[in-house]
Amino acid sequence: MVSQKIGAWIARLGWIWVDGQVAQITRRPGATTVFLTLRDPSADISLTVTTNRDVLDTGAPNLGEGARVLLHAKPDFYPGRGTLSLRADEIRQVGLGELLARLEQLKKLLAAEGLFEPAGKRRLPFLPGRIGLITGRASAAERDVLMNTRRRWPAVEFRVINVAVQGPTSVPQMIDALRVLDQDATVDVIVIARGGGSTEDLLPFSDEALCRAVFACRTPVVSAVGHETDTPLLDFVADLRASTPTDAAKRLVPDFGEELRLIRYARHRLDRAVTVLLDREQHRLDAVRSRPVLARPELMVEHRQVEVTSLWERGARTLDHRLTSAAGDLSHTLARLRALSPAATLRRGYAIVQAPDGTVVRTPRDVAPGDPLRVRLAEGEIAATVAEMPPAPGPPVGAQTERARS
Amino acid sequence: MTDELSYEQARAELAGVVERLEAGGTTLEEALALWERGEQLADVCQRWLDGARQRLDAARAARSDEA
């Protein structure tokens, strides 16, 4: 009852065109009905398709698993097993040329949406803490990335998620892996790597859903798919395109030896710069210290000593002159003094006659007979008395005395 | 106080002291004070340079231990 109602409801759905990938194909010998499992290549969704062998032979005679098909079908409910399927009346295998044309169209669409803009590209870290690697299990690509990256930077860490890199399940697996790695805070960069393959093999790497997932990633994504000449759409949307998995290693991590060399060189220059600076400053300081004012501070005193000595000498000389000339003056004055003294006259035999009161007697009129007199000679004096008075005008008494002596 | 001078401060002051000493015209007392200051400043400069060289040598020694 319920099945009938569901069947009736589904039967009302119209004919549609469906695009998908063949996951499985079952041709039973002798049976006219062929069963296909159709899968959406981006989402992990599949649906059973039933069709007539003639329809298949007309539209897609060599249909195999993994091929892309376009089919005209109507939803059909099979009450016997309660399953929903599509009943196709036309199946066309999508050829390589058509696939490439579609890719070109998708590329234009994504470019127009800005998914390839250089401004949107994130820079890779100089030295990633951890690298997320999405690649096939035990593949050459995995080995290439791991080995070459470790050779350049031995301490590098990886978180590897192995996925199917071709076939119908590869896109959903890669999108899941991307999400896991993007959410891992320790992963600084994500690499999607795969070795070379046919254009069909590389189709998952041009998948629209994968491209959008990569664009949505907050972690930088590196595309390392196929050979140099392969350019899946992933290459355009990724933040960095490596031509091969080996090339990816070069771009992921710096070369340890090279970095070591650069550091050594930088250290050497640093050393030199500081040494040169120190030497220059030492020279400047030495130059200042060798200037006479600092190197020979005794000069400060010596210069003044010379000054003092010369001044002292000048003083002494001056004083000496003064003394000499003063001595000359003195003897001269003494000579004059002596010249003026009566002593010399007395020595020549003159005498001075004085009254007792000291008055010099110059004429007989000054004395009377009996008056005491003092006669002064060169070497002493004589006390005398006036004996008589000659008739005037006689010579002075002193003259008589003088004459009497000589 | 002198010890808190930077190398550049000490060097600049030292140059000034030498200039004043060389220009002359100071009293002996001033000249002596200037000279003493100059010696002090030159010592400060030398201590800075010696210290820097020691640190450089220590860094070099540490590096060659590493290598």
Side-chain angles (χ1 to χ4, degrees):
Chain A
M1 185 63 191
V2 175
S3 291
Q4 275 174 11
K5 285 202 167 169
I6 292 173
W9 195 79
I10 288 173
R12 288 210 296 274
L13 294 171
W15 288 87
I16 48 170
W17 282 99
V18 180
D19 174 18
Q21 190 169 23
V22 178
Q24 203 185 355
I25 181 161
T26 316
R27 287 186 180 93
R28 289 207 191 87
T32 49
T33 302
V34 179
F35 293 91
L36 298 175
T37 305
L38 194 66
R39 188 189 286 271
D40 181 324
S42 311
D44 209 355
I45 297 168
S46 52
L47 197 64
T48 305
V49 177
T50 57
T51 190
N52 194 289
R53 184 182 284 268
D54 293 339
V55 171
L56 194 63
D57 287 346
T58 315
N62 300 315
L63 195 64
E65 283 165 12
R68 291 288 284 260
V69 290
L70 189 64
L71 47 86
H72 189 236
K74 189 180 188 301
D76 185 32
F77 187 68
Y78 179 56
R81 269 189 291 173
T83 56
L84 180 71
S85 62
L86 289 174
R87 172 133 206 103
D89 68 348
E90 192 181 344
I91 295 181
R92 285 205 304 246
Q93 181 164 6
V94 180
L96 189 57
E98 199 170 342
L99 276 175
L100 292 177
R102 275 202 214 171
L103 275 187
E104 204 50 45
Q105 217 174 344
L106 177 60
K107 186 172 165 186
K108 275 184 192 143
L109 175 75
L110 295 180
E113 281 184 37
L115 265 69
F116 304 159
E117 286 299 314
K121 307 279 184 207
R122 280 145 301 197
R123 274 174 66 95
L124 261 56
F126 174 70
L127 186 61
R130 211 160 180 218
I131 299 171
L133 177 58
I134 300 172
T135 189
R137 184 176 303 281
S139 63
E142 178 178 28
R143 206 187 53 239
D144 279 356
V145 171
L146 292 181
M147 202 178 69
N148 287 303
T149 309
R150 284 191 179 126
R151 184 180 295 155
R152 287 171 66 82
W153 198 269
V156 74
E157 267 188 69
F158 278 98
R159 177 170 178 191
V160 181
I161 297 184
N162 290 119
V163 295
V165 288
Q166 68 190 71
T169 56
S170 75
V171 169
Q173 282 188 14
M174 283 196 285
I175 291 174
D176 280 349
L178 262 180
R179 194 173 303 126
V180 170
L181 292 176
D182 194 30
Q183 278 165 4
D184 183 342
T186 63
V187 170
D188 292 332
V189 59
I190 299 168
V191 191
I192 299 175
R194 190 210 194 278
S198 68
T199 307
E200 286 97 329
D201 285 345
L202 297 185
L203 276 179
F205 298 93
S206 289
D207 185 87
E208 181 177 351
L210 179 68
C211 286
R212 291 192 187 280
V214 166
F215 186 72
C217 263
R218 280 164 303 140
T219 314
V221 177
V222 175
S223 153
V225 176
H227 300 300
E228 184 75 52
T229 47
D230 296 320
T231 51
L233 294 190
L234 178 64
D235 278 356
F236 296 95
V237 75
D239 296 292
L240 186 95
R241 183 211 169 209
S243 54
T244 58
T246 306
D247 181 47
K250 283 188 199 151
R251 291 157 177 273
L252 282 171
V253 291
D255 184 69
F256 186 70
E258 174 68 8
E259 291 306 316
L260 215 58
R261 203 182 61 75
L262 283 174
I263 290 170
R264 213 174 287 137
Y265 179 62
R267 269 188 156 165
H268 174 70
R269 284 180 58 186
L270 193 69
D271 233 52
R272 264 191 63 79
V274 176
T275 308
V276 164
L277 185 81
L278 272 177
D279 286 351
R280 201 184 62 209
E281 290 305 320
Q282 186 65 60
H283 279 138
R284 284 173 72 165
L285 184 58
D286 289 349
V288 171
R289 290 195 103 156
S290 68
R291 300 263 275 272
V293 286
L294 284 188
R296 301 189 55 203
E298 65 274 12
L299 285 183
M300 194 163 52
V301 177
E302 275 172 14
H303 284 152
R304 283 174 170 79
Q305 181 65 61
V306 169
E307 253 173 45
V308 169
T309 309
S310 104
L311 281 173
W312 181 83
E313 279 171 354
R314 262 173 68 193
R317 250 195 327 273
T318 311
L319 194 65
D320 193 47
H321 277 309
R322 285 263 190 89
L323 285 176
T324 311
S325 74
D329 278 0
L330 189 61
S331 61
H332 185 66
T333 310
L334 202 61
R336 275 176 63 200
L337 184 68
R338 285 187 181 146
L340 291 172
S341 156
T345 312
L346 294 180
R347 220 174 283 131
R348 289 211 306 268
Y350 292 91
I352 298 166
V353 178
Q354 288 169 298
D357 64 353
T359 319
V360 174
V361 179
R362 296 173 197 273
T363 167
R365 286 191 297 274
D366 291 347
V367 296
D371 280 358
L373 290 173
R374 275 171 63 202
V375 180
R376 203 179 177 94
L377 304 172
E379 319 229 339
E381 50 180 73
I382 302 162
T385 309
V386 180
E388 60 182 289
M389 295 293 290
V397 179
Q400 276 178 346
T401 316
E402 177 78 17
R403 217 172 280 142
R405 275 202 158 200
S406 55
Chain B
M1 188 192 88
T2 307
D3 294 317
E4 281 165 340
L5 286 179
S6 74
Y7 173 77
E8 283 71 22
Q9 285 171 330
R11 195 189 62 197
E13 200 185 329
L14 176 59
V17 163
V18 168
E19 237 169 70
R20 282 184 61 193
L21 270 176
E22 284 175 345
T26 49
T27 65
L28 177 60
E29 207 179 333
E30 282 168 349
L32 270 173
L34 279 172
W35 169 71
E36 274 169 6
R37 181 68 179 154
E39 282 293 323
Q40 227 173 28
L41 290 166
D43 283 346
V44 171
C45 287
Q46 191 60 58
R47 269 205 300 279
W48 272 114
L49 292 180
D50 289 347
R53 221 176 273 282
Q54 269 168 22
R55 279 160 67 178
L56 195 64
D57 289 345
R60 276 203 191 111
R63 197 183 313 155
S64 55
D65 286 350
E66 258 172 45

